[in-house]
Amino acid sequence: MVSSSFVFFTILGSGIATWLSRIMPFVILKKFQLSSGVIEFLSFVPIAIMSALWFENLFIQHLGHLPSLDMPNLLASLPTVLSALISKNLLVTVVVGVISLGFLRLVLGM
Amino acid sequence: MNNELTVSSAARETLPTVFGYIGIGLAYGIVGKASGISPLMITLMSLITYGGASQFIIVSMLVTHSPMISIILSAFLVNSRMILMSTTLAPYFKKESLLKNIILGGLVTDESFALGMNKLNFTDRKLNFAWFNTVNWFAYTAWAAASLVGALLGNFISDPEKFGLDFALVAMFIGLLYLQLISDKSIKFKLQLIVVAFVLVATYIGIIFIPANLLTLVVTLLACAFGVVIKHGFF
């Protein structure tokens, strides 16, 4: 494991970067306005980043070659998506997801 | 939800999301401990970095010994959606002092943002400091406390993977993506689906030659540019 000072400065750096992302719009927009082009570009960030972070978990990387499928994550995603559609509730979705993958691992030994 | 912008109404309305913070915070603490990070650092990360998805990513990159700068850049990129959310929220607090704006902005989360946007529909498009600040602090304290408890529980659960807890994050993205798709009226639903499909294809192709810690950034930037182009070309 890396040293705790490395961990601490990584936390601090990430914290400052994140904090600035959070507060700068509040500070700047007291005086200025974003151009409509930038706002339009940023409007795609939430769906793009969330789907990217999901899809990355469905593949196993082999640099230079086609990825293989991460079957447990892919199979666990199905009931998870279904529970999101039905419940529209984040907590229910997370619980169903965890139980699904736990079931695949513990019961089916995947 | 009602039209009251008070501390007590905020406390009541935040409650459902607090359960979410506790669940994911526990999972984060357990995963962090299993990855060899101390409970102190796990809790500090929740207090200082304060971003669910980014904290899981920081933990996984620490395990793979990624350079500090690429961890910080990844955390920034994952959290860069905060820029958009803060930009959307800021106009409602223009009359509050700069200090209050910084206090509110510093603790904005996906959930407090979503609650705020929902609340607007009940209050004649108004928000105030007391209400939003209460929502933020409930989230912040629940998240930090759950992380610490998870880290301490991690001593007893050595292999959280076995129980599927590592899937909590992926499931959260699935849930948040779906909630975003059905609630974001600023982009047409069909266009959103096209962008999501693009992300799937770009991820599959990108994963062949882009290192894992840069993949999210590259795919997200490409998908945003793609979205803008398609919107102007076809919508």
Side-chain angles (χ1 to χ4, degrees), chain A residues 1-2 11 18 21-22 26 29-30 34 40 42-43 47 49 55-56 61 64 67 84-85 88 97 105, chain B residues 35 49-50 65 76 79 84 86-87 94 96 101 105-106 108 161 166 178 187 207-208 210 216 231-232:
Chain A
M1 195 55 217
V2 290
I11 290 170
T18 305
S21 307
R22 285 186 164 114
F26 280 88
L29 293 180
K30 267 193 91 80
L34 278 177
E40 191 172 50
L42 289 173
S43 72
I47 52 165
I49 204 155
F55 295 148
E56 278 168 21
Q61 187 171 45
L85 290 170
K88 302 186 193 337
R105 290 216 181 109
Chain B
S35 307
T49 307
Y50 190 41
H65 294 274
F76 167 73
N79 289 333
L84 179 67
S86 288
T87 305
K94 231 173 171 150
E96 308 277 7
N101 269 274
V108 169
E161 286 219 343
D166 52 319
Y178 178 69
I187 309 172
I207 206 168
I208 300 168
I210 303 171
T216 320
K231 187 177 176 184
H232 285 275

mmCIF file of all heavy atoms in Angstrom, chain A residues 1-2 11 18 21-22 26 29-30 34 40 42-43 47 49 55-56 61 64 67 84-85 88 97 105, chain B residues 35 49-50 65 76 79 84 86-87 94 96 101 105-106 108 161 166 178 187 207-208 210 216 231-232:
data_model
loop_
_atom_site.group_PDB
_atom_site.id
_atom_site.type_symbol
_atom_site.label_atom_id
_atom_site.label_comp_id
_atom_site.label_asym_id
_atom_site.label_seq_id
_atom_site.Cartn_x
_atom_site.Cartn_y
_atom_site.Cartn_z
ATOM 1 N N MET A 1 0.845 -1.199 0.000
ATOM 2 C CA MET A 1 0.000 0.000 0.000
ATOM 3 C C MET A 1 0.877 1.245 0.000
ATOM 4 O O MET A 1 1.980 1.236 0.530
ATOM 5 C CB MET A 1 -0.902 -0.044 1.252
ATOM 6 C CG MET A 1 -2.060 0.931 1.213
ATOM 7 S SD MET A 1 -3.091 0.723 -0.259
ATOM 8 C CE MET A 1 -3.506 2.403 -0.614
ATOM 9 N N VAL A 2 0.384 2.316 -0.604
ATOM 10 C CA VAL A 2 1.148 3.562 -0.662
ATOM 11 C C VAL A 2 1.187 4.223 0.720
ATOM 12 O O VAL A 2 0.389 3.921 1.591
ATOM 13 C CB VAL A 2 0.539 4.530 -1.696
ATOM 14 C CG1 VAL A 2 0.768 4.015 -3.100
ATOM 15 C CG2 VAL A 2 -0.941 4.741 -1.448
ATOM 16 N N ILE A 11 -5.774 13.101 -1.369
ATOM 17 C CA ILE A 11 -7.095 13.519 -0.878
ATOM 18 C C ILE A 11 -7.213 15.041 -0.919
ATOM 19 O O ILE A 11 -8.206 15.595 -1.389
ATOM 20 C CB ILE A 11 -7.315 13.008 0.574
ATOM 21 C CG1 ILE A 11 -7.490 11.492 0.597
ATOM 22 C CG2 ILE A 11 -8.507 13.702 1.221
ATOM 23 C CD1 ILE A 11 -7.467 10.881 1.991
ATOM 24 N N THR A 18 -12.088 19.524 -6.440
ATOM 25 C CA THR A 18 -13.539 19.338 -6.386
ATOM 26 C C THR A 18 -14.228 20.563 -5.784
ATOM 27 O O THR A 18 -15.258 21.018 -6.276
ATOM 28 C CB THR A 18 -13.884 18.083 -5.555
ATOM 29 O OG1 THR A 18 -13.173 16.975 -6.105
ATOM 30 C CG2 THR A 18 -15.375 17.786 -5.596
ATOM 31 N N SER A 21 -14.417 23.256 -8.249
ATOM 32 C CA SER A 21 -15.482 22.978 -9.219
ATOM 33 C C SER A 21 -16.843 23.371 -8.656
ATOM 34 O O SER A 21 -17.711 23.835 -9.372
ATOM 35 C CB SER A 21 -15.546 21.487 -9.571
ATOM 36 O OG SER A 21 -14.296 21.023 -9.976
ATOM 37 N N ARG A 22 -16.990 23.154 -7.340
ATOM 38 C CA ARG A 22 -18.274 23.432 -6.713
ATOM 39 C C ARG A 22 -18.505 24.927 -6.513
ATOM 40 O O ARG A 22 -19.594 25.431 -6.751
ATOM 41 C CB ARG A 22 -18.352 22.743 -5.333
ATOM 42 C CG ARG A 22 -18.559 21.258 -5.392
ATOM 43 C CD ARG A 22 -18.779 20.725 -3.975
ATOM 44 N NE ARG A 22 -19.347 19.406 -3.993
ATOM 45 C CZ ARG A 22 -18.714 18.307 -3.566
ATOM 46 N NH1 ARG A 22 -17.486 18.391 -3.088
ATOM 47 N NH2 ARG A 22 -19.306 17.137 -3.628
ATOM 48 N N PHE A 26 -20.459 29.610 -8.375
ATOM 49 C CA PHE A 26 -21.176 30.524 -7.481
ATOM 50 C C PHE A 26 -20.463 31.875 -7.405
ATOM 51 O O PHE A 26 -21.099 32.923 -7.365
ATOM 52 C CB PHE A 26 -21.279 29.924 -6.067
ATOM 53 C CG PHE A 26 -22.377 28.904 -5.933
ATOM 54 C CD1 PHE A 26 -22.123 27.563 -6.230
ATOM 55 C CD2 PHE A 26 -23.644 29.271 -5.517
ATOM 56 C CE1 PHE A 26 -23.129 26.619 -6.114
ATOM 57 C CE2 PHE A 26 -24.652 28.330 -5.397
ATOM 58 C CZ PHE A 26 -24.393 26.994 -5.707
ATOM 59 N N LEU A 29 -20.491 33.489 -11.192
ATOM 60 C CA LEU A 29 -21.815 33.860 -11.709
ATOM 61 C C LEU A 29 -22.493 34.959 -10.894
ATOM 62 O O LEU A 29 -23.575 35.416 -11.243
ATOM 63 C CB LEU A 29 -22.718 32.625 -11.821
ATOM 64 C CG LEU A 29 -22.257 31.632 -12.886
ATOM 65 C CD1 LEU A 29 -23.169 30.437 -12.945
ATOM 66 C CD2 LEU A 29 -22.165 32.303 -14.258
ATOM 67 N N LYS A 30 -21.830 35.392 -9.810
ATOM 68 C CA LYS A 30 -22.327 36.596 -9.136
ATOM 69 C C LYS A 30 -22.058 37.796 -10.038
ATOM 70 O O LYS A 30 -22.688 38.826 -9.908
ATOM 71 C CB LYS A 30 -21.650 36.777 -7.767
ATOM 72 C CG LYS A 30 -22.458 36.148 -6.632
ATOM 73 C CD LYS A 30 -21.986 36.561 -5.263
ATOM 74 C CE LYS A 30 -22.701 37.794 -4.725
ATOM 75 N NZ LYS A 30 -24.036 37.512 -4.169
ATOM 76 N N LEU A 34 -22.065 32.339 -18.235
ATOM 77 C CA LEU A 34 -21.399 31.413 -19.148
ATOM 78 C C LEU A 34 -21.944 31.587 -20.554
ATOM 79 O O LEU A 34 -23.112 31.911 -20.733
ATOM 80 C CB LEU A 34 -21.683 29.970 -18.705
ATOM 81 C CG LEU A 34 -20.843 29.377 -17.593
ATOM 82 C CD1 LEU A 34 -21.354 27.972 -17.281
ATOM 83 C CD2 LEU A 34 -19.380 29.302 -17.989
ATOM 84 N N GLU A 40 -24.220 24.392 -23.183
ATOM 85 C CA GLU A 40 -24.749 23.292 -23.995
ATOM 86 C C GLU A 40 -23.822 22.073 -23.930
ATOM 87 O O GLU A 40 -24.274 20.951 -23.733
ATOM 88 C CB GLU A 40 -24.908 23.766 -25.437
ATOM 89 C CG GLU A 40 -25.674 22.799 -26.292
ATOM 90 C CD GLU A 40 -25.985 23.397 -27.657
ATOM 91 O OE1 GLU A 40 -25.050 23.920 -28.286
ATOM 92 O OE2 GLU A 40 -27.146 23.332 -28.059
ATOM 93 N N LEU A 42 -21.653 21.326 -21.554
ATOM 94 C CA LEU A 42 -21.695 20.771 -20.199
ATOM 95 C C LEU A 42 -23.007 20.048 -19.898
ATOM 96 O O LEU A 42 -23.050 19.170 -19.039
ATOM 97 C CB LEU A 42 -21.485 21.881 -19.161
ATOM 98 C CG LEU A 42 -20.080 22.462 -19.071
ATOM 99 C CD1 LEU A 42 -20.059 23.653 -18.127
ATOM 100 C CD2 LEU A 42 -19.079 21.405 -18.587
ATOM 101 N N SER A 43 -24.061 20.406 -20.630
ATOM 102 C CA SER A 43 -25.356 19.784 -20.338
ATOM 103 C C SER A 43 -25.345 18.283 -20.615
ATOM 104 O O SER A 43 -26.175 17.553 -20.107
ATOM 105 C CB SER A 43 -26.467 20.469 -21.144
ATOM 106 O OG SER A 43 -26.358 20.127 -22.507
ATOM 107 N N ILE A 47 -25.202 12.654 -18.138
ATOM 108 C CA ILE A 47 -25.531 11.349 -18.724
ATOM 109 C C ILE A 47 -24.287 10.688 -19.314
ATOM 110 O O ILE A 47 -24.121 9.475 -19.214
ATOM 111 C CB ILE A 47 -26.657 11.427 -19.788
ATOM 112 C CG1 ILE A 47 -26.359 12.474 -20.847
ATOM 113 C CG2 ILE A 47 -28.002 11.626 -19.155
ATOM 114 C CD1 ILE A 47 -27.243 12.327 -22.086
ATOM 115 N N ILE A 49 -21.060 10.969 -18.385
ATOM 116 C CA ILE A 49 -20.112 10.445 -17.389
ATOM 117 C C ILE A 49 -20.715 9.267 -16.626
ATOM 118 O O ILE A 49 -20.025 8.279 -16.331
ATOM 119 C CB ILE A 49 -19.619 11.564 -16.451
ATOM 120 C CG1 ILE A 49 -18.268 11.170 -15.848
ATOM 121 C CG2 ILE A 49 -20.613 11.884 -15.351
ATOM 122 C CD1 ILE A 49 -17.435 12.326 -15.423
ATOM 123 N N PHE A 55 -20.605 1.571 -18.151
ATOM 124 C CA PHE A 55 -20.163 0.699 -19.247
ATOM 125 C C PHE A 55 -18.727 0.196 -19.066
ATOM 126 O O PHE A 55 -18.412 -0.932 -19.439
ATOM 127 C CB PHE A 55 -20.314 1.419 -20.589
ATOM 128 C CG PHE A 55 -21.745 1.732 -20.944
ATOM 129 C CD1 PHE A 55 -22.067 2.872 -21.688
ATOM 130 C CD2 PHE A 55 -22.789 0.899 -20.532
ATOM 131 C CE1 PHE A 55 -23.394 3.165 -22.007
ATOM 132 C CE2 PHE A 55 -24.110 1.184 -20.847
ATOM 133 C CZ PHE A 55 -24.411 2.325 -21.589
ATOM 134 N N GLU A 56 -17.860 1.047 -18.481
ATOM 135 C CA GLU A 56 -16.473 0.612 -18.239
ATOM 136 C C GLU A 56 -16.424 -0.640 -17.375
ATOM 137 O O GLU A 56 -15.504 -1.438 -17.483
ATOM 138 C CB GLU A 56 -15.704 1.706 -17.495
ATOM 139 C CG GLU A 56 -15.181 2.776 -18.396
ATOM 140 C CD GLU A 56 -14.681 3.969 -17.589
ATOM 141 O OE1 GLU A 56 -14.378 3.807 -16.393
ATOM 142 O OE2 GLU A 56 -14.604 5.050 -18.188
ATOM 143 N N GLN A 61 -10.430 -4.853 -19.590
ATOM 144 C CA GLN A 61 -9.485 -4.286 -20.548
ATOM 145 C C GLN A 61 -8.310 -5.220 -20.836
ATOM 146 O O GLN A 61 -7.744 -5.827 -19.932
ATOM 147 C CB GLN A 61 -8.948 -2.954 -20.001
ATOM 148 C CG GLN A 61 -8.094 -2.199 -21.011
ATOM 149 C CD GLN A 61 -7.748 -0.800 -20.537
ATOM 150 O OE1 GLN A 61 -7.378 -0.591 -19.390
ATOM 151 N NE2 GLN A 61 -7.863 0.169 -21.429
ATOM 152 N N GLY A 64 -4.587 -3.039 -26.356
ATOM 153 C CA GLY A 64 -4.128 -3.486 -27.658
ATOM 154 C C GLY A 64 -5.028 -4.545 -28.280
ATOM 155 O O GLY A 64 -4.870 -4.897 -29.438
ATOM 156 N N PRO A 67 -11.777 -5.856 -25.742
ATOM 157 C CA PRO A 67 -12.052 -6.218 -24.344
ATOM 158 C C PRO A 67 -12.917 -7.474 -24.265
ATOM 159 O O PRO A 67 -13.616 -7.802 -25.221
ATOM 160 C CB PRO A 67 -12.821 -5.002 -23.815
ATOM 161 C CG PRO A 67 -13.484 -4.413 -25.023
ATOM 162 C CD PRO A 67 -12.552 -4.675 -26.177
ATOM 163 N N ALA A 84 -34.413 0.049 -11.214
ATOM 164 C CA ALA A 84 -34.421 1.509 -11.397
ATOM 165 C C ALA A 84 -35.686 1.929 -12.140
ATOM 166 O O ALA A 84 -36.362 2.884 -11.762
ATOM 167 C CB ALA A 84 -33.181 1.961 -12.163
ATOM 168 N N LEU A 85 -36.021 1.158 -13.200
ATOM 169 C CA LEU A 85 -37.210 1.458 -13.994
ATOM 170 C C LEU A 85 -38.476 1.381 -13.149
ATOM 171 O O LEU A 85 -39.349 2.243 -13.234
ATOM 172 C CB LEU A 85 -37.338 0.462 -15.158
ATOM 173 C CG LEU A 85 -36.331 0.557 -16.300
ATOM 174 C CD1 LEU A 85 -36.455 -0.650 -17.226
ATOM 175 C CD2 LEU A 85 -36.547 1.836 -17.084
ATOM 176 N N LYS A 88 -37.770 3.787 -9.470
ATOM 177 C CA LYS A 88 -37.309 5.175 -9.616
ATOM 178 C C LYS A 88 -36.669 5.664 -8.314
ATOM 179 O O LYS A 88 -36.793 6.826 -7.940
ATOM 180 C CB LYS A 88 -38.454 6.112 -10.017
ATOM 181 C CG LYS A 88 -39.144 5.726 -11.314
ATOM 182 C CD LYS A 88 -40.146 6.792 -11.684
ATOM 183 C CE LYS A 88 -41.119 6.421 -12.777
ATOM 184 N NZ LYS A 88 -40.768 5.385 -13.724
ATOM 185 N N GLY A 97 -28.886 -4.062 -6.807
ATOM 186 C CA GLY A 97 -27.616 -4.298 -7.503
ATOM 187 C C GLY A 97 -26.647 -5.114 -6.660
ATOM 188 O O GLY A 97 -26.066 -6.098 -7.128
ATOM 189 N N ARG A 105 -22.123 -14.260 -7.031
ATOM 190 C CA ARG A 105 -20.838 -14.688 -6.492
ATOM 191 C C ARG A 105 -20.990 -15.805 -5.461
ATOM 192 O O ARG A 105 -20.307 -16.829 -5.538
ATOM 193 C CB ARG A 105 -20.115 -13.497 -5.845
ATOM 194 C CG ARG A 105 -19.638 -12.486 -6.878
ATOM 195 C CD ARG A 105 -18.304 -11.889 -6.475
ATOM 196 N NE ARG A 105 -17.873 -10.903 -7.464
ATOM 197 C CZ ARG A 105 -17.857 -9.602 -7.245
ATOM 198 N NH1 ARG A 105 -18.214 -9.115 -6.078
ATOM 199 N NH2 ARG A 105 -17.438 -8.779 -8.185
ATOM 200 N N SER B 35 -9.096 -2.181 0.832
ATOM 201 C CA SER B 35 -8.020 -1.792 -0.074
ATOM 202 C C SER B 35 -6.773 -1.346 0.689
ATOM 203 O O SER B 35 -5.801 -0.889 0.087
ATOM 204 C CB SER B 35 -8.485 -0.654 -0.985
ATOM 205 O OG SER B 35 -9.682 -1.003 -1.633
ATOM 206 N N THR B 49 -12.528 15.454 0.144
ATOM 207 C CA THR B 49 -12.830 15.293 -1.285
ATOM 208 C C THR B 49 -14.349 15.339 -1.492
ATOM 209 O O THR B 49 -14.834 16.030 -2.370
ATOM 210 C CB THR B 49 -12.267 13.967 -1.831
ATOM 211 O OG1 THR B 49 -10.879 13.898 -1.493
ATOM 212 C CG2 THR B 49 -12.443 13.892 -3.338
ATOM 213 N N TYR B 50 -15.097 14.608 -0.668
ATOM 214 C CA TYR B 50 -16.554 14.639 -0.642
ATOM 215 C C TYR B 50 -17.182 14.489 -2.023
ATOM 216 O O TYR B 50 -17.729 15.434 -2.589
ATOM 217 C CB TYR B 50 -17.048 15.921 0.030
ATOM 218 C CG TYR B 50 -18.536 15.922 0.324
ATOM 219 C CD1 TYR B 50 -19.164 14.794 0.811
ATOM 220 C CD2 TYR B 50 -19.299 17.055 0.099
ATOM 221 C CE1 TYR B 50 -20.513 14.792 1.080
ATOM 222 C CE2 TYR B 50 -20.663 17.070 0.361
ATOM 223 C CZ TYR B 50 -21.259 15.931 0.856
ATOM 224 O OH TYR B 50 -22.602 15.928 1.107
ATOM 225 N N HIS B 65 -1.509 1.995 -7.714
ATOM 226 C CA HIS B 65 -0.325 2.858 -7.670
ATOM 227 C C HIS B 65 -0.263 3.854 -8.824
ATOM 228 O O HIS B 65 0.795 4.063 -9.420
ATOM 229 C CB HIS B 65 0.956 2.009 -7.649
ATOM 230 C CG HIS B 65 1.087 1.203 -6.402
ATOM 231 N ND1 HIS B 65 1.653 1.695 -5.242
ATOM 232 C CD2 HIS B 65 0.681 -0.056 -6.110
ATOM 233 C CE1 HIS B 65 1.599 0.768 -4.295
ATOM 234 N NE2 HIS B 65 1.011 -0.300 -4.800
ATOM 235 N N PHE B 76 -11.121 15.182 -10.382
ATOM 236 C CA PHE B 76 -11.648 16.453 -10.893
ATOM 237 C C PHE B 76 -12.637 16.201 -12.027
ATOM 238 O O PHE B 76 -13.713 16.802 -12.067
ATOM 239 C CB PHE B 76 -10.494 17.344 -11.371
ATOM 240 C CG PHE B 76 -10.964 18.518 -12.183
ATOM 241 C CD1 PHE B 76 -11.606 19.593 -11.576
ATOM 242 C CD2 PHE B 76 -10.787 18.541 -13.558
ATOM 243 C CE1 PHE B 76 -12.061 20.672 -12.323
ATOM 244 C CE2 PHE B 76 -11.239 19.612 -14.314
ATOM 245 C CZ PHE B 76 -11.880 20.678 -13.691
ATOM 246 N N ASN B 79 -15.860 14.721 -10.917
ATOM 247 C CA ASN B 79 -16.637 15.720 -10.190
ATOM 248 C C ASN B 79 -16.921 16.973 -11.008
ATOM 249 O O ASN B 79 -17.558 17.891 -10.511
ATOM 250 C CB ASN B 79 -15.911 16.110 -8.904
ATOM 251 C CG ASN B 79 -15.933 14.990 -7.884
ATOM 252 O OD1 ASN B 79 -16.851 14.167 -7.894
ATOM 253 N ND2 ASN B 79 -14.942 14.932 -7.028
ATOM 254 N N LEU B 84 -21.416 22.125 -13.627
ATOM 255 C CA LEU B 84 -22.713 22.309 -14.277
ATOM 256 C C LEU B 84 -23.827 22.502 -13.236
ATOM 257 O O LEU B 84 -24.667 23.399 -13.369
ATOM 258 C CB LEU B 84 -23.010 21.093 -15.158
ATOM 259 C CG LEU B 84 -24.348 21.141 -15.882
ATOM 260 C CD1 LEU B 84 -24.364 22.234 -16.925
ATOM 261 C CD2 LEU B 84 -24.625 19.797 -16.538
ATOM 262 N N SER B 86 -23.561 23.475 -10.049
ATOM 263 C CA SER B 86 -23.388 24.748 -9.357
ATOM 264 C C SER B 86 -23.803 25.914 -10.247
ATOM 265 O O SER B 86 -24.384 26.885 -9.778
ATOM 266 C CB SER B 86 -21.925 24.921 -8.927
ATOM 267 O OG SER B 86 -21.621 24.068 -7.858
ATOM 268 N N THR B 87 -23.486 25.788 -11.535
ATOM 269 C CA THR B 87 -23.838 26.851 -12.482
ATOM 270 C C THR B 87 -25.356 27.000 -12.577
ATOM 271 O O THR B 87 -25.872 28.104 -12.697
ATOM 272 C CB THR B 87 -23.246 26.522 -13.870
ATOM 273 O OG1 THR B 87 -21.846 26.319 -13.713
ATOM 274 C CG2 THR B 87 -23.477 27.654 -14.850
ATOM 275 N N LYS B 94 -28.200 34.536 -5.940
ATOM 276 C CA LYS B 94 -27.473 35.746 -6.317
ATOM 277 C C LYS B 94 -27.583 36.835 -5.254
ATOM 278 O O LYS B 94 -26.658 37.611 -5.056
ATOM 279 C CB LYS B 94 -28.004 36.270 -7.664
ATOM 280 C CG LYS B 94 -26.873 36.531 -8.654
ATOM 281 C CD LYS B 94 -27.355 36.888 -10.030
ATOM 282 C CE LYS B 94 -26.136 37.330 -10.823
ATOM 283 N NZ LYS B 94 -26.219 37.066 -12.234
ATOM 284 N N GLU B 96 -27.862 36.389 -1.992
ATOM 285 C CA GLU B 96 -27.154 36.053 -0.753
ATOM 286 C C GLU B 96 -25.705 36.546 -0.857
ATOM 287 O O GLU B 96 -25.193 36.765 -1.943
ATOM 288 C CB GLU B 96 -27.148 34.528 -0.527
ATOM 289 C CG GLU B 96 -28.504 33.862 -0.601
ATOM 290 C CD GLU B 96 -29.307 33.930 0.684
ATOM 291 O OE1 GLU B 96 -28.864 34.621 1.629
ATOM 292 O OE2 GLU B 96 -30.382 33.294 0.753
ATOM 293 N N ASN B 101 -22.731 32.048 -0.490
ATOM 294 C CA ASN B 101 -22.648 31.343 -1.762
ATOM 295 C C ASN B 101 -21.543 30.292 -1.733
ATOM 296 O O ASN B 101 -21.704 29.180 -2.240
ATOM 297 C CB ASN B 101 -22.387 32.330 -2.909
ATOM 298 C CG ASN B 101 -23.673 32.837 -3.529
ATOM 299 O OD1 ASN B 101 -24.227 32.216 -4.421
ATOM 300 N ND2 ASN B 101 -24.160 33.952 -3.031
ATOM 301 N N GLY B 105 -22.155 26.418 -2.079
ATOM 302 C CA GLY B 105 -21.525 25.799 -3.248
ATOM 303 C C GLY B 105 -20.565 24.692 -2.854
ATOM 304 O O GLY B 105 -20.495 23.649 -3.512
ATOM 305 N N GLY B 106 -19.837 24.883 -1.758
ATOM 306 C CA GLY B 106 -18.815 23.931 -1.345
ATOM 307 C C GLY B 106 -19.350 22.556 -0.989
ATOM 308 O O GLY B 106 -18.597 21.584 -0.959
ATOM 309 N N VAL B 108 -22.380 21.204 -2.436
ATOM 310 C CA VAL B 108 -23.403 20.731 -3.386
ATOM 311 C C VAL B 108 -23.124 19.275 -3.770
ATOM 312 O O VAL B 108 -21.969 18.891 -3.976
ATOM 313 C CB VAL B 108 -23.411 21.597 -4.667
ATOM 314 C CG1 VAL B 108 -24.273 20.957 -5.755
ATOM 315 C CG2 VAL B 108 -23.905 23.002 -4.354
ATOM 316 N N GLU B 161 -16.001 -7.882 -1.686
ATOM 317 C CA GLU B 161 -16.336 -8.305 -3.046
ATOM 318 C C GLU B 161 -17.261 -9.520 -3.037
ATOM 319 O O GLU B 161 -18.139 -9.660 -3.877
ATOM 320 C CB GLU B 161 -15.057 -8.660 -3.824
ATOM 321 C CG GLU B 161 -14.265 -7.445 -4.234
ATOM 322 C CD GLU B 161 -13.681 -7.601 -5.617
ATOM 323 O OE1 GLU B 161 -13.611 -8.751 -6.108
ATOM 324 O OE2 GLU B 161 -13.304 -6.578 -6.198
ATOM 325 N N ASP B 166 -19.015 -4.140 -3.888
ATOM 326 C CA ASP B 166 -18.306 -3.307 -4.860
ATOM 327 C C ASP B 166 -19.207 -2.886 -6.012
ATOM 328 O O ASP B 166 -18.900 -1.975 -6.754
ATOM 329 C CB ASP B 166 -17.064 -4.036 -5.387
ATOM 330 C CG ASP B 166 -17.390 -5.428 -5.902
ATOM 331 O OD1 ASP B 166 -18.196 -6.128 -5.250
ATOM 332 O OD2 ASP B 166 -16.848 -5.815 -6.944
ATOM 333 N N TYR B 178 -30.536 6.697 -14.801
ATOM 334 C CA TYR B 178 -31.956 6.567 -15.124
ATOM 335 C C TYR B 178 -32.741 7.781 -14.626
ATOM 336 O O TYR B 178 -33.561 8.351 -15.353
ATOM 337 C CB TYR B 178 -32.533 5.272 -14.531
ATOM 338 C CG TYR B 178 -34.005 5.138 -14.818
ATOM 339 C CD1 TYR B 178 -34.441 4.915 -16.124
ATOM 340 C CD2 TYR B 178 -34.948 5.299 -13.818
ATOM 341 C CE1 TYR B 178 -35.798 4.841 -16.405
ATOM 342 C CE2 TYR B 178 -36.299 5.220 -14.091
ATOM 343 C CZ TYR B 178 -36.724 4.989 -15.382
ATOM 344 O OH TYR B 178 -38.060 4.933 -15.667
ATOM 345 N N ILE B 187 -32.709 18.309 -22.345
ATOM 346 C CA ILE B 187 -32.265 17.588 -23.543
ATOM 347 C C ILE B 187 -33.359 16.584 -23.907
ATOM 348 O O ILE B 187 -33.862 15.884 -23.038
ATOM 349 C CB ILE B 187 -30.946 16.816 -23.277
ATOM 350 C CG1 ILE B 187 -29.897 17.737 -22.653
ATOM 351 C CG2 ILE B 187 -30.418 16.200 -24.565
ATOM 352 C CD1 ILE B 187 -28.656 17.020 -22.177
ATOM 353 N N ILE B 207 -11.502 1.400 -24.936
ATOM 354 C CA ILE B 207 -10.867 0.539 -23.934
ATOM 355 C C ILE B 207 -9.732 -0.299 -24.558
ATOM 356 O O ILE B 207 -8.858 -0.800 -23.861
ATOM 357 C CB ILE B 207 -11.935 -0.367 -23.241
ATOM 358 C CG1 ILE B 207 -11.483 -0.784 -21.839
ATOM 359 C CG2 ILE B 207 -12.265 -1.580 -24.089
ATOM 360 C CD1 ILE B 207 -12.582 -1.405 -21.015
ATOM 361 N N ILE B 208 -9.737 -0.379 -25.901
ATOM 362 C CA ILE B 208 -8.692 -1.138 -26.592
ATOM 363 C C ILE B 208 -7.332 -0.446 -26.455
ATOM 364 O O ILE B 208 -6.313 -1.100 -26.280
ATOM 365 C CB ILE B 208 -9.038 -1.314 -28.098
ATOM 366 C CG1 ILE B 208 -10.357 -2.073 -28.235
ATOM 367 C CG2 ILE B 208 -7.917 -2.032 -28.847
ATOM 368 C CD1 ILE B 208 -10.942 -2.045 -29.641
ATOM 369 N N ILE B 210 -6.956 3.097 -24.798
ATOM 370 C CA ILE B 210 -6.836 4.192 -23.832
ATOM 371 C C ILE B 210 -6.688 3.605 -22.426
ATOM 372 O O ILE B 210 -7.490 2.779 -22.017
ATOM 373 C CB ILE B 210 -8.082 5.112 -23.877
ATOM 374 C CG1 ILE B 210 -8.285 5.669 -25.287
ATOM 375 C CG2 ILE B 210 -7.942 6.267 -22.877
ATOM 376 C CD1 ILE B 210 -9.608 6.396 -25.476
ATOM 377 N N THR B 216 -12.535 7.429 -18.875
ATOM 378 C CA THR B 216 -13.759 8.176 -18.536
ATOM 379 C C THR B 216 -13.707 9.591 -19.110
ATOM 380 O O THR B 216 -14.674 10.060 -19.711
ATOM 381 C CB THR B 216 -13.929 8.269 -16.999
ATOM 382 O OG1 THR B 216 -13.566 7.023 -16.428
ATOM 383 C CG2 THR B 216 -15.345 8.615 -16.632
ATOM 384 N N LYS B 231 -27.278 17.378 -31.747
ATOM 385 C CA LYS B 231 -28.375 18.275 -31.378
ATOM 386 C C LYS B 231 -28.584 19.337 -32.464
ATOM 387 O O LYS B 231 -29.711 19.636 -32.838
ATOM 388 C CB LYS B 231 -28.056 18.935 -30.038
ATOM 389 C CG LYS B 231 -29.197 19.770 -29.475
ATOM 390 C CD LYS B 231 -28.805 20.325 -28.110
ATOM 391 C CE LYS B 231 -29.875 21.248 -27.559
ATOM 392 N NZ LYS B 231 -29.448 21.846 -26.290
ATOM 393 N N HIS B 232 -27.471 19.887 -32.967
ATOM 394 C CA HIS B 232 -27.585 20.938 -33.978
ATOM 395 C C HIS B 232 -27.902 20.385 -35.357
ATOM 396 O O HIS B 232 -28.531 21.060 -36.172
ATOM 397 C CB HIS B 232 -26.297 21.773 -34.017
ATOM 398 C CG HIS B 232 -26.185 22.697 -32.855
ATOM 399 N ND1 HIS B 232 -26.762 23.944 -32.835
ATOM 400 C CD2 HIS B 232 -25.611 22.533 -31.629
ATOM 401 C CE1 HIS B 232 -26.536 24.515 -31.654
ATOM 402 N NE2 HIS B 232 -25.841 23.666 -30.918
#
